[in-house]
Amino acid sequence: KYNKEPFHILHGLTVEGTMRWFANELGYGEDADFWAMAGLLHDIDFEMYPEQHCIKAPELLREAGAEEELIHAICSHVKPEHEMEKVLFAVDELTGLVGAAARMRPSRSVMDMEVSSLKKKFKDKKFAAGCSRDVIREGAENLGWTLEELMEKTILAMRSCEESVNKEVEN
């Protein structure tokens, strides 16, 4: 309803699948649906209300009947506190960079992407310039991971959902 642009839909679906993978990987499997929903809806207000990002979201989510815990999780990706929020903060920007790098590959896929090639793209400030390298670095630091660990895990997470995301976008 609030996101019509194919890019925003693809991003939401990608972050949804990535968050589900991280929930399972980090031992929060029983909360995987919650993590995934936070990933899917984290930018609910961004397309229509970019200047009010995470300000307009609570109103939109309450109208849809979302629980306060989910609203908090979605809106806190700007200033994360809990592990789920820290993961969302870290992967939000990074999935954009990984997705852009994948589109440049002959395979147009993350399935054959290596951390070393992603690091080269990361160092090129002109490549996917809208993806904040500082936010990605801060995300890794918030989680206590190296940048390489975050990149590796995010690539694996995106591999886990690439096929289903592509099918969903095609429909």
Side-chain angles (χ1 to χ4, degrees), residues 96-157:
L97 183 73
V98 173
R103 287 188 291 281
M104 300 300 293
R105 301 179 67 72
S107 66
R108 300 185 55 78
S109 172
V110 295
M111 294 303 186
D112 60 351
M113 183 179 290
E114 298 297 327
V115 172
S116 58
S117 63
L118 182 60
K119 283 175 64 175
K120 288 178 190 171
K121 297 293 187 189
F122 182 86
K123 290 177 183 175
D124 180 358
K125 303 279 191 262
K126 293 180 183 175
F127 180 79
C131 296
S132 170
R133 274 59 170 178
D134 291 337
V135 167
I136 295 168
R137 278 190 206 93
E138 184 181 343
E141 186 177 300
N142 286 344
L143 289 162
W145 299 344
T146 66
L147 183 59
E148 290 77 15
E149 285 176 295
L150 177 60
M151 288 179 170
E152 181 180 12
K153 290 175 189 220
T154 302
I155 290 169
L156 292 172

Side-chain angles (χ1 to χ4, degrees), residues 48-145:
M48 292 179 74
Y49 310 100
E51 297 84 27
Q52 298 177 3
H53 182 44
C54 288
I55 296 169
K56 189 75 172 169
E59 174 188 331
L60 303 177
L61 293 163
R62 283 186 188 106
E63 283 176 12
E67 295 177 9
E68 288 302 314
E69 183 182 16
L70 182 61
I71 294 169
H72 173 78
I74 290 167
C75 296
S76 69
H77 79 275
V78 175
K79 187 179 178 211
E81 296 171 12
H82 303 293
E83 189 165 21
M84 187 279 305
E85 298 162 1
K86 290 176 182 180
V87 171
L88 181 55
F89 178 87
V91 303
D92 184 16
E93 292 288 317
L94 186 53
T95 57
L97 183 73
V98 173
R103 287 188 291 281
M104 300 300 293
R105 301 179 67 72
S107 66
R108 300 185 55 78
S109 172
V110 295
M111 294 303 186
D112 60 351
M113 183 179 290
E114 298 297 327
V115 172
S116 58
S117 63
L118 182 60
K119 283 175 64 175
K120 288 178 190 171
K121 297 293 187 189
F122 182 86
K123 290 177 183 175
D124 180 358
K125 303 279 191 262
K126 293 180 183 175
F127 180 79
C131 296
S132 170
R133 274 59 170 178
D134 291 337
V135 167
I136 295 168
R137 278 190 206 93
E138 184 181 343
E141 186 177 300
N142 286 344
L143 289 162
W145 299 344

